């Protein structure tokens, strides 16, 4: 085993997860279990993780267990709500040498694999979140039970620039087959870190049994006793003491590892275009797993993990992860949270698709009455119908119970008059993106709402200050910019207008938090943060097309960055008409930097909403509208020139936004782009990436971050 004591110096801030052992007498005369409980001594806000000291504690507990001859089995579980969420990465930035990285990889394997080599069966009782190394620990055990209340099971390492290197790429494909394993290792992390729930993990065969949360441990112990007595035969059971993957085989034989790997590589290419190494290393390991012994598989994981622990992608991923886990919890510059007013009823002006999504969000997360209004019954019925259909879909997919679906659906009602807002605490408008329309709507709401009711606007680009200027009480107007699709996108830009008071801002932030969104507080400025930067980025690329750059060159110019979508796919997602509107707003505010593309106007005039054929190549009619330059002045660019121009424009715009005080710091720009635009973790935040690439200094003469 590597000398873990030498590694502990790299993790000076490790919150050590202790392995606490107690004896449990199992029922049915099946003997004594040595039950290990993982507990870092903190409440559930600090989950169990494994650093060198934590791994040493677990190893010492196993030493004590192995020395005994009076136990029939070993179990491992977590503290309330948490099993374990993987490696402690706090010291990862301090790992400077490959031998240190290799020692960390080997230490995890050396400790975890003991659970499959004890001479008696081992049981993982997954009572809460099991991520990364936590799930890998469970995979090393002979058998696993899981609570139906678990909401987070997964291997998210590839999203951070790592891979599941403590057994995950070897054990999981042997357990459930390479195709399903690659969905968990590759597809889920690269799809906004999608997680499995307990029932999904059980249905895939990751767990052998599932029990309800209330008596999970007691039922798990009874189940383990029945396994030991032979009255229960788990799926793919292995003889006691036999490493699970060397006994019965649970994994399906088709598709083959190679075929599944090809599918996963195609998926990764679509997301990353080869820009990040970790997913591809993971795919190769999974594909090779079936032809390797366990020692060979673990050794290959060690080498891959050692390489990736020293990579720039990991440093970038850790920066992005830190932002989303820490800064996102508390909006920088937020007023005292105690100023927030209670919100017991919500009003939504409009019943279109965005308004219906907002109503659904508030009903599900706030669990308060929500009333929609619109101009006629047909529109109102359509909005309410969307809410009912989505609730039914959530019920049918097992995301909510039938009782919850009925109760939440009943919370959402409709009205043809705004009098229904008389007792609302928070009213948000989601009507047509035109200043005069929004001003009229807010004035109508103010006429019937209580004096302390917050009036919010979901505008994506218009001035909140101007919107509130004609009201008697502009201090209670705030921007609350949700992103489409509302259920999936985690960001809310909370916009403080010139007159917005602290109580209104605090209430909006509290509502966002209750809705399980990450809020960033921004100053009222045209298009705020995400849309301003995306419009500048897209505008520069369209500008190159206007100048004669072939569409296919501009389309793929950003590919080396590994962005989640191409510029024209982004244009389709936003909608050409919406993009044109935001572009016109910004061009009016900043005519020196924002120019509306004539070709974008042509797309809108032609009524183009879909830009692609089914095979995701640009539609011929769209390509024809985008083709050609401005005659004698045509000056096409190379892909590298297009990319450089777009990135330099972003650096300039971010510097100006920071100088204007749009947000508290560059970290908030990064957070907005990660959560609202899908800026990839492997690049870190957009500002440190521009610093690393030398673009910031080239354009502005200084860096966004003084160090790093």
């Amino acid at each position: 085993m590597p000398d873990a004591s030498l590694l502990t110096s790299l993790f000076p801030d490790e919150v050590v997860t202790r392995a606490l052992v107690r004896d449990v007498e199992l029922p049915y005369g099946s003997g004594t279990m040595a039950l290990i409980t993982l507990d870092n001594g903190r409440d559930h806000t600090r989950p169990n993780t494994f650093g060198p000291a934590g791994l040493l504690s677990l190893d010492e507990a196993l030493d004590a267990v192995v020395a005994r001859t009076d136990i029939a089995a070993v179990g491992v579980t977590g503290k309330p709500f948490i099993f374990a969420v993987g490696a402690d990465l706090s010291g990862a930035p301090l790992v400077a040498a490959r031998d240190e990285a290799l020692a960390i990889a080997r230490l995890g394997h050396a400790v975890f694999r003991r659970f499959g080599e004890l001479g008696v069966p081992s049981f993982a009782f997954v009572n809460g979140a099991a991520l990364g190394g936590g799930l890998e620990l469970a995979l090393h055990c002979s058998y696993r039970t899981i609570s139906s209340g678990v909401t987070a099971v997964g291997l998210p390492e590839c999203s951070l620039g790592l891979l599941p290197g403590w057994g995950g790429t070897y054990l999981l494909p042997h357990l459930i087959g390479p195709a399903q394993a690659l969905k968990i290792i590759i597809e889920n992390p690269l799809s906004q870190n999608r997680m499995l729930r307990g029932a999904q993990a059980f249905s895939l065969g990751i767990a052998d049994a599932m029990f309800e949360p209330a008596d999970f441990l007691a039922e798990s112990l009874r189940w383990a006793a029945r396994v030991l007595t032979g009255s229960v035969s788990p799926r793919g059971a292995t003889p006691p003491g036999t490493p699970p993957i060397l006994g019965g085989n649970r994994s399906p034989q088709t598709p083959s590892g190679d075929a599944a790997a090809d599918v996963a590589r195609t998926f990764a290419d679509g997301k990353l275009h080869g820009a990040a190494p970790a997913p591809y290393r993971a795919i190769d390991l999974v594909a090779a797993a079936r032809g390797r012994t366990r020692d060979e598989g673990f050794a290959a994981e060690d080498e891959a993990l050692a390489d990736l622990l020293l990579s720039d992608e990991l440093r970038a991923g850790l920066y992005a992860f830190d932002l989303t886990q820490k800064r996102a919890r508390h909006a920088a510059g937020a007023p005292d949270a105690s100023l927030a007013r209670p919100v017991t009823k919500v009003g939504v002006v409009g019943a279109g698709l965005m308004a219906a999504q907002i109503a659904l969000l508030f009903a599900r997360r706030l669990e308060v009455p929500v009333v929609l209004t619109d101009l006629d019954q047909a529109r109102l019925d359509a909005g309410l119908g969307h809410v009912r259909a989505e609730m039914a879909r959530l019920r049918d997919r097992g995301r909510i119970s039938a009782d919850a679906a009925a109760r939440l659906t009943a919370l959402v009602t409709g009205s043809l008059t705004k009098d229904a807002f008389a007792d609302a605490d928070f009213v948000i408008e989601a009507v047509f993106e035109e200043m005069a329309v929004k001003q009229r709507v807010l004035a109508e709401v103010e006429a019937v709402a209580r004096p302390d009711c917050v009036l919010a606007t979901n505008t994506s680009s218009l001035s909140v200050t101007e919107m509130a200027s004609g009201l008697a009480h502009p201090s209670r107007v705030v921007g609350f910019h949700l992103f489409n699709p509302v259920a999936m996108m985690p960001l809310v830009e909370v916009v403080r207008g010139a007159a917005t008071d602290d109580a209104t801002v605090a209430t909006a932030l509290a509502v966002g938090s209750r809705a399980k969104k990450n809020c960033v507080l921004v100053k009222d400025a045209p298009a705020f943060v995400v849309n301003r930067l995306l419009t500048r980025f897209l505008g520069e690329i369209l500008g190159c097309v206007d100048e004669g750059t072939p569409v296919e060159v501009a389309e793929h110019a950003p590919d080396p960055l590994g962005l989640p979508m191409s510029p024209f796919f982004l244009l389709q997602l936003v909608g050409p008409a919406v993009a044109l509107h935001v572009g016109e707003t910004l061009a009016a505010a900043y005519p020196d930097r924002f120019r509306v593309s004539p070709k974008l106007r042509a797309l809108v005039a032609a009524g183009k909403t879909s830009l692609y054929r089914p095979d995701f190549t640009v539609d011929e009619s769209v390509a024809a509208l985008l083709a050609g330059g401005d005659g004698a002045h045509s000056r096409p660019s190379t892909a590298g020139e297009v990319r450089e121009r777009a990135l330099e424009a972003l650096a300039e715009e971010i510097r100006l936004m920071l100088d204007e005080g749009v947000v508290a710091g560059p970290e908030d720009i990064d957070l907005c782009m990660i959560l609202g635009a899908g800026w990839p973790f492997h690049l870190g935040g957009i500002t440190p990436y521009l610093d690393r690439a030398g673009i910031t200094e080239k354009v502005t003469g200084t860096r966004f971050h003084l160090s790093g």
Side-chain angles (χ1 to χ4, degrees):
M1 174 178 294
D3 186 351
S5 62
L6 296 178
L7 296 175
T8 55
S9 61
L10 294 175
F11 292 75
D13 299 323
E14 179 181 355
V15 176
V16 180
T17 296
R18 303 291 179 188
L20 311 174
V21 186
R22 63 186 174 97
D23 285 356
V24 175
E25 291 303 319
L26 297 172
Y28 318 125
S30 56
T32 301
M33 171 181 282
L35 180 62
I36 299 171
T37 300
L38 305 172
D39 194 339
N40 62 9
R42 305 295 179 93
D43 62 25
H44 67 276
T45 62
R46 181 68 185 246
N48 295 329
T49 55
F50 297 109
L55 289 170
L56 276 178
S57 177
L58 184 57
D59 196 51
E60 290 167 0
L62 290 171
D63 284 342
V65 168
V66 169
R68 298 173 59 179
T69 59
D70 61 332
I71 58 171
V74 173
V76 60
T77 192
K79 66 181 184 179
F81 311 112
I82 299 289
F83 184 72
V85 298
D88 178 351
L89 295 174
S90 64
L94 301 178
V95 178
R98 195 176 188 280
D99 59 345
E100 296 171 346
L102 192 59
I104 291 171
R106 288 172 174 168
L107 176 61
H109 274 132
V111 176
F112 285 2
R113 72 182 296 171
R114 297 185 70 183
F115 280 88
E117 303 170 349
L118 291 171
V120 296
S122 54
F123 294 82
F125 304 135
V126 182
N127 63 309
L131 302 175
L135 177 55
E136 288 174 296
L137 169 59
L139 292 174
H140 280 271
C141 292
S142 308
Y143 311 106
R144 287 156 294 282
T145 67
I146 195 165
S147 167
S148 62
V150 173
T151 59
V153 176
L155 296 170
E157 289 91 339
C158 284
S159 69
L160 293 175
L162 287 175
L163 52 74
W166 285 346
T169 67
Y170 186 73
L171 296 172
L172 191 61
H174 278 86
L175 184 67
I176 64 172
Q180 292 298 336
L182 284 167
K183 287 183 180 180
I184 294 169
I185 294 170
I186 303 298
E187 185 174 329
N188 287 359
L190 300 185
S191 301
Q192 296 184 321
N193 249 335
R194 185 187 302 143
M195 298 294 168
L196 299 175
R197 293 175 175 267
Q200 293 170 304
F202 172 65
S203 67
L204 286 171
I206 294 173
D208 300 284
M210 182 172 67
F211 303 108
E212 293 301 312
D215 55 356
F216 170 72
L217 184 57
E219 287 297 323
S220 292
L221 291 170
R222 280 192 281 271
W223 181 85
R226 291 195 292 271
V227 171
L228 294 175
T229 61
S231 61
V232 167
S233 180
R235 294 176 287 188
T238 59
T242 304
I245 63 167
L246 302 181
N249 180 17
R250 309 181 198 186
S251 60
Q253 296 298 315
T254 55
S256 71
D258 289 341
D262 289 342
V263 172
R265 286 191 191 96
T266 299
F267 180 86
D269 285 342
K271 291 284 187 178
L272 302 168
H273 309 288
Y280 298 95
R281 292 290 293 269
I283 293 167
D284 290 342
L285 289 171
V286 170
R290 192 167 294 282
R292 285 174 167 159
T293 66
R294 189 168 48 149
D295 287 344
E296 290 169 342
F298 290 176
E301 286 184 337
D302 289 338
E303 296 297 327
L305 196 56
D307 290 341
L308 294 170
L309 277 168
L310 298 175
S311 67
D312 289 339
E313 287 79 13
L314 174 61
R315 269 60 178 177
L318 291 177
Y319 171 84
F321 181 76
D322 190 67
L323 286 180
T324 59
Q325 296 301 305
K326 295 179 182 178
R327 194 175 183 94
R329 294 180 183 177
H330 305 288
D336 190 330
S338 66
L339 296 173
R341 303 187 187 102
V343 173
T344 59
K345 180 179 178 180
V346 171
V348 181
V349 185
L353 180 58
M354 191 67 180
Q357 291 183 76
I358 293 171
L360 180 70
L361 173 74
F362 287 149
R364 282 195 70 199
R365 300 304 187 196
L366 274 64
E367 296 191 17
V368 300
V370 179
V371 59
L372 287 160
T373 66
D374 214 314
L375 299 176
D376 58 59
Q377 193 65 47
R379 295 179 185 179
L380 195 57
D381 289 344
L384 293 171
H386 175 83
V387 172
R388 296 187 189 107
E390 284 300 300
M391 289 290 191
R393 186 177 66 87
L394 291 168
R395 178 201 62 208
D396 294 343
R397 294 177 61 187
R399 299 293 299 275
I400 57 177
S401 67
D403 288 345
R407 176 173 53 83
L408 295 175
T409 300
L411 288 174
V412 184
T413 59
S415 172
L416 291 176
T417 72
K418 296 182 179 63
D419 293 340
F421 299 149
D423 57 346
D425 306 295
F426 187 95
V427 176
I428 182 168
E429 67 78 21
V431 299
F432 185 67
E433 191 79 350
E434 184 176 302
M435 180 60 73
V437 174
K438 291 182 180 289
Q439 287 177 323
R440 184 178 70 252
V441 162
L442 289 177
E444 291 170 353
V445 174
E446 185 182 48
V448 299
R450 293 199 320 258
D452 60 348
C453 177
V454 170
L455 307 184
T457 170
N458 188 49
T459 182
S460 60
S461 61
L462 299 177
S463 169
V464 174
T465 301
E466 183 180 351
M467 210 176 293
S469 61
L471 299 181
H473 302 287
S475 60
R476 58 173 169 162
V477 178
V478 65
F480 198 83
H481 180 211
L482 291 148
F483 289 76
N484 190 27
V486 171
M488 292 180 59
M489 298 300 289
L491 178 67
V492 177
E493 292 176 328
V494 174
V495 186
R496 183 194 281 271
T500 310
D501 62 26
D502 283 352
T504 297
V505 172
T507 304
L509 291 170
V511 168
S513 178
R514 287 176 64 190
K516 298 186 179 180
K517 299 296 184 183
N518 299 124
C519 299
V520 175
L521 184 58
V522 306
K523 176 184 174 182
D524 190 18
F528 318 126
V529 176
V530 174
N531 283 345
R532 179 167 168 180
L533 291 179
L534 289 182
T535 301
R536 183 79 196 272
F537 181 76
L538 187 58
E540 296 297 330
I541 292 175
L542 281 171
C544 292
V545 175
D546 289 337
E547 295 165 4
T549 301
V551 173
E552 60 272 16
V553 172
E555 168 82 344
H556 296 290
D559 281 1
L561 300 174
L563 300 180
M565 62 188 73
S566 69
F568 295 113
F569 195 87
L570 171 64
L571 178 61
Q572 175 172 297
L573 182 67
V574 172
V578 173
L580 177 62
H581 173 77
V582 175
E584 289 173 338
T585 299
L586 284 162
Y590 309 114
D592 57 323
R593 303 190 308 280
F594 289 86
R595 171 178 168 270
V596 178
S597 165
K599 294 186 185 298
L600 177 58
R601 291 191 190 278
L603 288 176
V604 175
K608 297 295 182 182
T609 55
S610 178
L611 309 184
Y612 289 87
R613 293 187 292 243
D615 63 355
F616 292 103
T617 56
V618 176
D619 183 86
E620 296 96 330
S621 62
V622 171
L625 290 170
L626 296 175
D630 53 355
H633 301 289
S634 179
R635 46 189 186 281
S637 300
T638 66
E641 289 168 339
V642 174
R643 186 168 59 253
E644 183 177 15
R645 173 170 161 178
L647 290 173
E648 288 179 357
L650 286 177
E652 179 187 33
E653 203 61 36
I654 291 169
R655 172 56 61 198
L656 291 168
M657 292 167 73
L658 293 173
D659 291 346
E660 295 167 14
V662 175
V663 290
E667 296 83 1
D668 291 318
I669 298 281
D670 298 329
L671 191 58
C672 283
M673 292 299 285
I674 291 167
L675 298 179
W679 182 263
F681 266 47
H682 74 265
L683 295 179
I686 190 169
T687 62
Y689 170 76
L690 293 171
D691 281 352
R692 289 196 308 274
I695 295 171
T696 316
E697 285 185 278
K698 176 184 176 183
V699 174
T700 71
T702 186
R703 296 165 64 92
F704 293 121
H705 302 268
L706 297 180
S707 62

